[in-house]
Amino acid sequence: MTTEYRLQLFVANHPERLKRVLAAIDNALTGRLSTPYDIEVIDVMADPGRAAIERVIMTPTLVIKSPTPERRLIGDLADVDKLCVVLGVRKETGA
Amino acid sequence: MRRRILVIDDEEGVRDAFDLALDANAYEVVTAADGLEGLARAAEATPDLVILDLKMPRLDGVETLRRLRLQCPGIMVYILTAFYEEYLRPLAGLSAEGAEFELVRKPLDADQIRGVIAAALDGTINEAPDPGGQP
């Protein structure tokens, strides 16, 4: 099965924020895609080499590897509406 | 209203880089050359955001963060460091203590500084500035 959305989330030591970000991404994508999405969470504290390779400049950073072109989002990633816009998925308009 | 950003770093060039990169109409950049001075600046007026170096004389970044957490609970702290294991290792103890912080890579150019500060303070979703500066 092809995964249309492939994401990388670079985080540091901030478990509450990680929960919020993962929930927002899931809210933005679940039910709006015809295929599952894949998200890899990378702890920069544990694997700084990955962050260097991906040229991450801060945490949290969300790298959208696919669909291309690759995009990077930084800052508070917990806003579902903004995530929908950037991820290119349609926001829910009704109940 | 201007947001107050406290930059604690023993490298004058780093302190100046934040001061020069950020719009003085939007941000009040306050600087300190070590942890003790940084705690004093934070006591004068609680900053909206702290950019904190790790390796500094008198009081290093790890201990400064511990004291900042007591002095200003809930304050937003970004640790300014190269993303290498030997630099990040001292932060493991803080993680175990439950101290929350984020990381920002060192070095940053002026565009990256503006992007990082806007993202940290405004909570907006920005495309990261062009990455570079670290292999």
Side-chain angles (χ1 to χ4, degrees):
Chain A
M1 181 180 289
T2 301
T3 299
E4 185 180 0
Y5 279 81
R6 191 162 62 86
L7 314 174
Q8 292 177 335
L9 178 61
F10 289 86
V11 296
N13 174 49
H14 206 314
E16 289 306 313
R17 174 173 273 187
L18 174 58
K19 285 181 194 171
R20 289 199 302 271
V21 171
L22 288 175
I25 292 169
D26 197 57
N27 283 338
L29 292 178
T30 297
R32 297 184 175 89
L33 304 179
S34 57
T35 56
Y37 71 91
D38 177 71
I39 183 165
E40 179 185 13
V41 177
I42 300 115
D43 180 356
V44 178
M45 301 273 292
D47 192 358
R50 288 289 301 281
I53 289 169
E54 293 293 339
R55 299 179 306 243
V56 168
I57 64 169
M58 69 182 291
T59 59
T61 290
L62 181 67
V63 182
I64 304 166
K65 302 297 283 187
S66 70
T68 55
E70 181 178 303
R71 283 153 290 162
R72 291 158 180 266
L73 311 178
I74 56 177
D76 187 347
L77 306 173
D79 187 321
V80 174
D81 288 347
K82 289 180 180 176
L83 274 173
C84 285
V85 171
V86 176
L87 291 169
V89 295
R90 187 182 298 274
K91 290 192 294 184
E92 285 180 347
T93 54
Chain B
M1 185 174 135
R2 291 199 306 166
R3 265 83 61 88
R4 181 179 171 92
I5 300 168
L6 173 57
V7 180
I8 309 174
D9 196 305
D10 61 332
E11 292 182 49
E12 185 178 10
V14 172
R15 301 194 302 270
D16 288 347
F18 277 84
D19 196 21
L20 291 170
L22 297 173
D23 181 358
N25 292 316
Y27 305 105
E28 178 192 7
V29 178
V30 180
T31 62
D34 60 54
L36 287 178
E37 187 183 352
L39 291 170
R41 297 286 86 77
E44 292 166 1
T46 302
D48 296 290
L49 172 66
V50 177
I51 303 292
L52 178 61
D53 186 25
L54 282 178
K55 294 188 176 180
M56 295 181 291
R58 298 212 295 166
L59 194 67
D60 67 16
V62 170
E63 186 56 30
T64 301
L65 179 55
R66 282 196 183 99
R67 297 189 192 184
L68 269 173
R69 287 271 165 246
L70 295 174
Q71 186 174 308
C72 310
I75 197 170
M76 189 187 313
V77 177
Y78 277 70
I79 302 286
L80 184 64
T81 178
F83 286 174
Y84 295 118
E85 191 176 348
E86 59 267 35
Y87 289 99
L88 296 172
R89 196 174 298 127
L91 294 172
L94 285 172
S95 297
E97 294 167 24
E100 291 189 341
F101 53 85
E102 296 290 354
L103 300 174
V104 60
R105 195 192 70 195
K106 193 179 191 178
L108 296 172
D109 65 28
D111 285 339
Q112 290 170 334
I113 287 172
R114 286 187 281 271
V116 163
I117 297 300
L121 285 176
D122 297 334
T124 53
I125 297 172
N126 300 323
E127 287 193 2
D130 288 337
Q134 180 171 298

